Every structure is written in C-alpha cells, then in structure tokens.
Amino acid sequence: MQNRHETDPVITRAAQAGDVDAMLACDAYAQAHASRGEAVRAAVGQGHCQVAIRAGQVAGYVLTHGDFFGHAFVSLVVVSPGQQRRGVGRGLLAAAVAACRTGKIFTSTNESNLAAQRLFASAGFVRSGQIDHLDEGDPELVYVKFLR
C-alpha cells in the first residue's frame, strides 16, 4: 500500500533561510561535512537555490550558479532518501531550468553515479564532455540542456 504522502504533489520554490536546516537534514553528505552547510547557506542567501516540498516537508533541493563560461550550471541536486525515484529530482531540475536566464544549462556528475546520469537523461540533458583528474579514476561527466 502506498503512503498517502507519496502521491502528494511536489512544489518547488526559491529556498529561504528558514528552509536550510530541513534541507541539510535530508542530505547525508551535509551531516558529515560542515562545508556543505556553508555552501547551501550562501546559495540560499544569493537566491541560487530551489527547494522541493512534498506534504509540507522538504524533499530535496538544487543549487545553481550563473558563471559556468557564461551559462547556468546546476552544481548540486539533493533528494531526501525517502523521496528518491519519485519525481523530486526531475522537479528540481525543471525549477532550475525555469529560473535559467541563459540559452543552455549545464550540470555534471561522476561516471560512477549512474542514478544521477539517469536523472539527467530523463530531464532532457545530453552528454557534453568529460573532465578528468577531479576524482582520480572516476571522471566527471558534463551534461547540457539546450533551452529556447
């Protein structure tokens, strides 16, 4: 039987300072790395963060930057473990695309992160290139989505 909250719609909006603690609570990496919290707080303060809400709870967030060779870049997509593979990531990427003011938007992930690669493909991103030597033995795959 499905949890009734699983069918609730995902709402995305600009993240606010009051969202940060709940955002970091759904992010396992942030629990162990204080630098993630600092980066998230800075992005929220600069208006570079969207949050996904489902059933009144933070389900995930996305960080963007507008300085990737003159184009927008999605630097981070985080989805709460209990909300993964339920449309939250695609909703967050759609929110990032909607907020984009350039003709293309880029993102990247490690070659080993197959879940992120599937997410990007399902959201209409295509492979654009590869960066070696960021994480030795695990190249960074770059993706792009062309906008109207």
Side-chain angles (χ1 to χ4, degrees):
M1 177 178 223
Q2 258 192 340
N3 180 326
R4 74 173 183 84
H5 296 302
E6 289 180 21
T7 59
D8 286 351
V10 175
I11 297 160
T12 56
R13 60 166 170 76
Q16 301 163 355
D19 298 321
V20 172
D21 287 343
M23 291 162 56
L24 297 176
C26 75
D27 182 351
Y29 185 88
Q31 304 304 309
H33 300 86
S35 61
R36 170 72 61 90
E38 295 164 14
V40 169
R41 281 182 178 77
V44 170
Q46 296 163 355
H48 294 287
C49 184
Q50 302 275 331
V51 65
I53 308 290
R54 175 176 269 157
Q57 302 294 313
V58 170
Y61 65 94
V62 61
L63 302 185
T64 58
H65 300 280
D67 56 357
F68 186 71
F69 300 98
H71 296 285
F73 186 83
V74 173
S75 61
L76 183 62
V77 180
V78 173
V79 178
S80 174
Q83 294 295 325
Q84 292 174 359
R85 292 169 191 72
R86 295 190 173 119
V88 175
R90 275 191 314 279
L92 287 165
L93 287 173
V97 165
C100 184
R101 300 293 171 245
T102 60
K104 346 177 192 181
I105 187 168
F106 290 85
T107 192
S108 70
T109 192
N110 287 93
E111 185 175 61
S112 64
N113 191 340
L114 299 177
Q117 292 175 51
R118 286 189 298 268
L119 171 63
F120 298 151
S122 74
F125 285 78
V126 296
R127 280 282 302 274
S128 177
Q130 176 175 309
I131 302 169
D132 295 317
H133 309 296
L134 288 175
D135 295 322
E136 285 304 319
D138 196 5
E140 191 77 6
L141 305 180
V142 179
Y143 290 79
V144 63
K145 182 169 184 168
F146 297 95
L147 310 177
R148 295 177 205 233

